[in-house]
Amino acid sequence: MCGIVGYVGGREACPILLKGLHRLEYRGYDSAGVAMVDEDGALNVYKCKGKVSDLEHFLAGKELGGNIGIAHTRWATHGAPTDKNAHPHLDCTGRIAIVHNGIIENYRELRSYLARNGHTFASDTDSEVVAHLVEDAWDGPCKGDLVAAVSNAVSRLEGSWALAVVCADAPDQLVVARNGSPLVVASTPEGAYAASDVTPLASVTAHVIQLENGQI
Ligand code: GLU
């Protein structure tokens, strides 16, 4: 088991994400990463093998601004525990970032299909196909609608997932989806949160909603 944290709202996302990852450390993991969309619409992604504290050292001096972001601790199932296989994963354009807990069972077929259609892959994970499926949907029938693009992508998946997705072209939208792997969400006056379980949200609110399987 490993972890996801997401935030969108009026506060700086990065400190919230890192604090949330620390709270999820008890679940076990081999690598960690964050992605934030900043005020200029740039999507900044940082990830590395090792502990959340290693990620924090890696973040020193980097561009960490933005009121929206996603974060992940990985427990590798497909692909070695390396920097490149750490989440978040990006689409081909570097405008869409995803984090995933679980296993995409039909990732081989999806990866072949996507590669035939011109997508290039930067990792050995099963998860990366999700970023490229969202890209396909965003560039096609779901242009400008991140919820529809994630819905379209998820409809092609088999397996288990908790997903969080951000897009530089939709800088006020954090989209999450769940099937099998746990995910909770919460809304407060300061913003909306998502997490693998209630521990990162306990200091924020007592009102947490457990996503049902199939919900986005
Ligand atoms: N199957 C994915 C991977 O190996 C996600 C693992 C996880 O749940 O952390 O990257």
Side-chain angles (χ1 to χ4, degrees):
M1 274 207 307
C2 39
I4 284 176
V5 184
Y7 173 77
V8 58
R11 298 169 60 195
E12 281 293 306
C14 191
I16 295 169
L17 298 174
L18 292 170
K19 191 172 165 190
L21 288 187
H22 276 300
R23 292 256 162 88
L24 292 174
E25 283 191 290
Y26 78 92
R27 295 163 70 94
Y29 65 104
D30 54 57
S31 44
V34 291
M36 285 80 58
V37 180
D38 73 15
E39 290 75 9
D40 301 321
L43 176 57
N44 295 309
V45 179
Y46 308 105
K47 55 189 191 168
C48 63
K49 180 183 169 185
K51 297 287 172 196
V52 177
S53 56
D54 297 320
L55 176 66
E56 287 171 321
H57 285 121
F58 181 60
L59 293 178
K62 304 275 198 309
E63 174 52 60
L64 302 177
N67 303 114
I68 178 168
I70 55 177
H72 189 262
T73 47
R74 178 179 188 231
W75 188 309
T77 65
H78 294 66
T82 59
D83 292 350
K84 76 168 182 179
N85 289 335
H87 300 216
H89 292 291
L90 292 167
D91 73 319
C92 293
T93 71
R95 306 286 289 166
I96 296 165
I98 69 102
V99 290
H100 166 232
N101 285 165
I103 294 175
I104 307 301
E105 282 164 9
N106 60 336
Y107 83 98
R108 280 195 192 83
E109 298 91 307
L110 291 170
R111 199 166 159 124
S112 304
Y113 161 80
L114 288 160
R116 281 198 305 278
N117 285 281
H119 291 267
T120 54
F121 288 82
S123 80
D124 306 317
T125 65
D126 53 332
S127 310
E128 191 185 349
V129 295
V130 178
H132 297 276
L133 289 174
V134 175
E135 176 189 3
D136 255 6
W138 179 267
D139 286 342
C142 306
K143 187 75 196 168
D145 187 342
L146 190 58
V147 176
V150 172
S151 177
N152 182 299
V154 159
S155 73
R156 307 185 60 179
L157 302 179
E158 293 167 17
S160 58
W161 56 86
L163 288 168
V165 182
V166 290
C167 174
D169 300 317
D172 57 354
Q173 284 194 300
L174 166 66
V175 181
V176 297
R178 186 235 165 157
N179 189 60
S181 307
L183 198 64
V184 301
V185 295
S187 181
T188 76
E190 288 80 40
Y193 299 78
S196 296
D197 65 37
V198 296
T199 51
L201 307 185
S203 61
V204 174
T205 179
H207 303 288
V208 172
I209 298 165
Q210 177 99 37
L211 283 196
E212 302 294 334
N213 282 331
Q215 270 193 316
I216 298 177

